[in-house]
């Protein structure tokens, strides 16, 4: 094989690769021999038909197509290790080609035109413009108060009362609903617990129970919302026959030292200690989740930085989407199968998940992922962020500690080594930008 041309275009790096006549003939003959193993001709044992005779009795077109696919894969794998490719590899955003086209220029020789998508050039935001709206970095008094109220609610006690129900009370009711004087499915229950004022029932249902005592009955009239989840009830007027079995008054404990002691928290026995304990716990949770929160905020901004004028090759999107789908298969069923089989295995055949919906969703995520890669590369160039040998040594050490991969398999394979290096660069740029976002938080 040899490289016959290199075109470093605006959006693509295009290479011409040529197989010599002998190289191509060797690949084609192997496919013909494979096909000849199934031939049954008089005077020859299976698999022992001479090549020239086999050629006359097999489908040479099929053999030619299969040989082309083999040659295509060989040329793609071979090309990324060549110096001509390595010289411009930093500009190429994925070592998987977006297109490989065979061209038969001379009899007996096969040529391929192999195209790789390049990183586009565009303007990214000044790091001082990176936003962190709504990002919480420090605990507030309101957070501590909310945590206290939640704990008090968890320790509420209920006591039956003879008086009328008021807002905040828990009533136990039987009810049966009617629309157009006919009972409807799902509109009936017995001994149902309902906290008045919780707004868990439609319209003003709960308000109409205020003032009732245990043993009272009442017809409650309501109207279902126009966007109600049950189609035949949308916007319908309904009547509910309701009987109140029990009215419970909810008693919320008071926040005092006695309550704090009842929680059995080590070294926390007073209200002041308890508030300090909650503040520390909430801050710890904020710190733990802050990295992910910043990453989500940053990722969204990086996607938005890529102008609409930047073209993303469809094949590049498909390449990434296929990786995402494979990962999804491994996480859900533990193996990679055909897309049709996967849809059946996860129960998507009834229309909830279709092959088309899955592909469209993964392609959307793939586009966002690619845009993030584009933006990170641009920041790396502008901020002159580079991967050092020390960075690579550390990353390879992590890989070896978590897999059975040999160090030589990473360092000696240009494609693998370069992919690891790109991941390390992305991480470094991400960490740099996250620190910049923290600086911008007022």
């Amino acid at each position: 094989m040899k490289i016959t041309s290199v075109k470093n275009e605006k959006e693509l790096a295009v290479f011409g690769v040529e197989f010599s006549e002998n190289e191509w003939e060797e690949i084609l003959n192997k496919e013909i021999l494979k096909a000849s193993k199934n031939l049954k001709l008089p005077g020859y044992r299976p698999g022992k038909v001479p090549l020239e005779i086999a050629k006359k009795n097999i489908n040479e077109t099929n053999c030619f197509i299969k040989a082309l696919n083999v040659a295509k894969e060989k040329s793609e794998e071979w090309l990324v290790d060549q110096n001509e490719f390595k010289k411009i590899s930093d500009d190429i955003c994925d070592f998987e080609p977006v297109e490989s086209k065979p061209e038969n220029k001379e009899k007996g020789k096969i040529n391929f035109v192999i195209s790789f998508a390049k990183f586009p050039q565009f303007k990214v935001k000044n790091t001082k413009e990176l936003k962190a709206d709504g990002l919480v970095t420090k605990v507030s008094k309101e957070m501590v108060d909310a945590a206290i109220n939640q704990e008090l609610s968890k320790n509420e006690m209920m006591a039956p009362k003879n008086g009328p129900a008021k807002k905040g009370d828990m009533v136990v009711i039987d009810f049966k609903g009617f629309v157009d004087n006919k009972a409807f499915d799902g509109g009936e229950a017995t001994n149902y617990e309902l906290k008045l004022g919780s707004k868990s029932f439609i319209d003003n249902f709960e308000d109409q129970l205020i003032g009732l005592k245990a043993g009272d009955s009442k017809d409650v009239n309501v109207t279902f919302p126009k966007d109600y989840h049950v189609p035949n009830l949308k916007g319908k007027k309904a009547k509910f026959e309701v009987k109140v079995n029990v009215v419970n008054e909810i008693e919320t404990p008071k926040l005092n030292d006695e309550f704090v002691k009842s929680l059995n928290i080590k070294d926390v026995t007073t209200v002041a200690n308890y508030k300090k304990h909650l503040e520390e716990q909430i801050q710890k949770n904020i710190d733990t989740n802050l990295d992910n929160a910043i990453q989500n905020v940053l990722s969204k901004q990086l996607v938005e930085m890529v102008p609409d004028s930047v073209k993303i090759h469809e094949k590049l999107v498909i390449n990434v989407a296929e990786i995402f789908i494979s990962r999804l298969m491994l996480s859900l069923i533990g193996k990679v199968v055909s897309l049709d089989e996967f849809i059946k295995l996860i129960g998507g055949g009834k229309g909830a998940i279709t092959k088309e919906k899955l592909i469209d969703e993964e392609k959307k995520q793939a586009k966002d992922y690619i845009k993030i890669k584009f933006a990170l590369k641009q920041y790396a160039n502008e901020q002159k962020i580079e991967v050092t040998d020390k960075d690579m040594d550390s990353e390879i050490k992590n890989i070896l500690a978590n897999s059975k991969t040999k160090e030589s398999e990473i360092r000696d394979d240009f494609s693998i080594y370069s992919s690891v290096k790109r991941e390390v660069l992305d991480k470094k740029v991400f960490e740099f930008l996250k620190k910049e976002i923290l600086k911008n938080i007022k």
Side-chain angles (χ1 to χ4, degrees), residues 61 137 156 176 204 238 275 278 320 370 409 439:
T61 301
T137 59
E156 287 176 341
K176 187 172 185 178
N204 61 348
K275 287 184 177 180
L278 286 176
V320 176
I370 292 166
E409 292 174 355
K439 289 180 188 176

Side-chain angles (χ1 to χ4, degrees), residues 7-15 88 91-94 96-99 114-122 307-314 316 370 374:
K7 295 179 183 177
N8 200 351
E9 300 174 352
K10 183 180 178 182
E11 295 173 5
L12 297 172
V14 185
F15 296 85
I88 58 174
D91 296 328
I92 294 169
C93 58
D94 188 359
E96 285 292 319
V98 294
E99 195 171 42
I114 306 174
S115 304
F116 297 84
K118 290 175 61 180
F119 283 109
Q121 297 298 312
F122 56 93
D308 293 336
S309 57
V310 170
K311 295 178 182 178
I312 303 177
H313 200 289
E314 181 67 10
L316 179 59
I370 292 166
F374 286 172

